[in-house]
């Protein structure tokens, strides 16, 4: 699921959103909190939508309103970009477990 | 672990203040200090300067405190409470111009990452900026 493009220093990944209610408030808070642990610049978007949003902005992540079964694309660049993308993918893939802190 | 900005919730209703604090704790977690107050000493609706000062002290952090308020008097009484703090603490407390529930959750999310008081305020106020 993790792929690195040779031409640009971005690490990208994709993951299916399983959560029954989609990207609502609690998942958004968890995703943002996790993203903030990394130095990398991290952007996400719901697949097929035009705009990348800052994964560290809780207001923007909540406002994306991605529905269940949509695919979330993640891209990051910076020193720990690979770890950041991997961590976010496992958070979403595990359906935002309670004990993620 | 570095300190995080504390959050104070000031509503006219104790139930709203408590419910908002519960939401913050459940959604964001316990690493951010959250204090709340609401209602007047008779159990009715209102806000009270000395209760607000107590809440600021409860949520106090070396990084400062962000206050979220509901209507009118909650804001003026919060500003009065800040004025009554020792001078060196006054500049470490801000009253956010943000909706109380959403602002509290977003401010706490930002605070949990170790952000500064100004960053926490900016995130809470992003909501009112549209």
């Amino acid at each position: 699921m993790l792929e690195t493009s040779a031409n640009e220093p971005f690490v990208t990944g994709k993951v299916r959103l399983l959560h029954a209610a989609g990207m609502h408030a609690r998942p958004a808070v968890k995703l943002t909190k996790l993203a903030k642990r990394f130095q990398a610049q991290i952007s996400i978007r719901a697949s097929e939508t035009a705009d990348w949003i800052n994964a560290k902005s809780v207001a923007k992540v909540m406002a994306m309103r991605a529905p269940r079964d949509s695919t979330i694309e993640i891209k990051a660049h910076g020193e720990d970009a690979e770890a950041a993308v991997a961590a976010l993918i496992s958070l979403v893939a595990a359906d935002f477990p309670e004990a993620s802190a | 672990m570095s300190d995080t900005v504390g959050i104070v919730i000031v509503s006219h209703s104790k139930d709203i203040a408590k419910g908002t604090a519960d939401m913050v704790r459940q959604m964001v977690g316990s690493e951010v200090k959250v204090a709340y107050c609401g209602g007047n000493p008779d159990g009715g609706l209102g806000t009270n300067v000395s209760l607000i000062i107590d809440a600021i002290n409860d949520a106090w952090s070396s990084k400062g405190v962000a206050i979220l308020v509901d209507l009118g008097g909650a804001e003026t009484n919060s500003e009065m409470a800040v004025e009554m703090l020792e001078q060196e603490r006054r500049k470490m407390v801000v009253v956010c111009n943000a909706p109380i529930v959403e602002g509290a959750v977003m401010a706490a999310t930002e605070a949990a990452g170790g952000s500064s008081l100004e960053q926490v305020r900016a995130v809470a106020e992003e909501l009112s900026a549209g």
Side-chain angles (χ1 to χ4, degrees):
Chain A
M1 283 211 269
L2 212 60
E3 47 192 70
T4 314
S5 159
N7 298 326
E8 46 177 13
F10 277 106
V11 180
T12 63
K14 285 183 186 181
V15 60
R16 165 98 61 92
L17 189 61
L18 302 168
H19 204 282
M23 187 63 79
H24 67 127
R26 262 169 297 171
V29 168
K30 284 181 184 159
L31 190 144
T32 310
K33 276 179 73 182
L34 182 60
K36 281 176 184 295
R37 292 198 203 156
F38 297 94
Q39 297 299 315
Q41 273 185 30
I42 309 168
S43 306
I44 63 170
R45 68 176 179 183
S47 202
E48 314 299 320
T49 58
D51 295 329
W52 288 94
I53 60 167
N54 179 0
K56 298 182 187 182
S57 165
V58 64
K60 294 204 171 70
V61 176
M62 260 186 219
M64 75 188 271
R65 299 182 199 283
R68 179 180 195 172
D69 286 332
S70 55
T71 298
I72 305 291
E73 292 180 67
I74 304 166
K75 68 172 181 181
H77 74 102
E79 224 166 81
D80 54 4
E82 203 154 322
V85 172
L88 290 174
I89 285 177
S90 42
L91 177 76
V92 180
D95 199 16
F96 306 91
E98 270 317 312
S100 67
Chain B
M1 165 105 193
S2 61
D3 220 352
T4 57
V5 171
I7 307 292
V8 167
I9 295 152
V10 180
S11 170
H12 280 68
S13 153
K14 190 170 185 175
D15 290 342
I16 287 176
K18 181 180 184 301
T20 304
D22 287 345
M23 272 183 75
V24 170
R25 290 195 193 107
Q26 284 178 35
M27 293 176 74
V28 182
S30 53
E31 65 265 51
V32 178
K33 277 195 273 185
V34 184
Y36 66 89
C37 62
N40 65 21
D42 305 328
L45 295 181
T47 58
N48 175 286
V49 175
S50 69
L51 291 178
I52 298 171
I53 293 174
D54 289 347
I56 293 172
N57 288 332
D58 285 347
W60 190 258
S61 135
S62 63
K63 285 201 161 154
V65 167
I67 306 180
L68 280 301
V69 300
D70 59 6
L71 306 165
E75 183 174 11
T76 50
N77 277 340
S78 294
E79 282 162 355
M80 205 177 294
V82 174
E83 284 302 306
M84 288 168 73
L85 296 173
E86 304 84 348
Q87 196 168 357
E88 66 272 22
R89 292 211 297 162
R90 270 178 228 161
K91 57 180 182 297
M92 294 171 65
V93 183
V94 296
V95 180
C96 300
N97 177 20
I100 188 164
V101 178
E102 295 89 331
V105 170
M106 298 201 183
T109 303
E110 186 66 24
S115 299
S116 70
L117 183 58
E118 264 320 299
Q119 286 170 301
V120 168
R121 175 193 218 167
V123 165
E125 294 188 352
E126 203 179 316
L127 292 161
S128 343

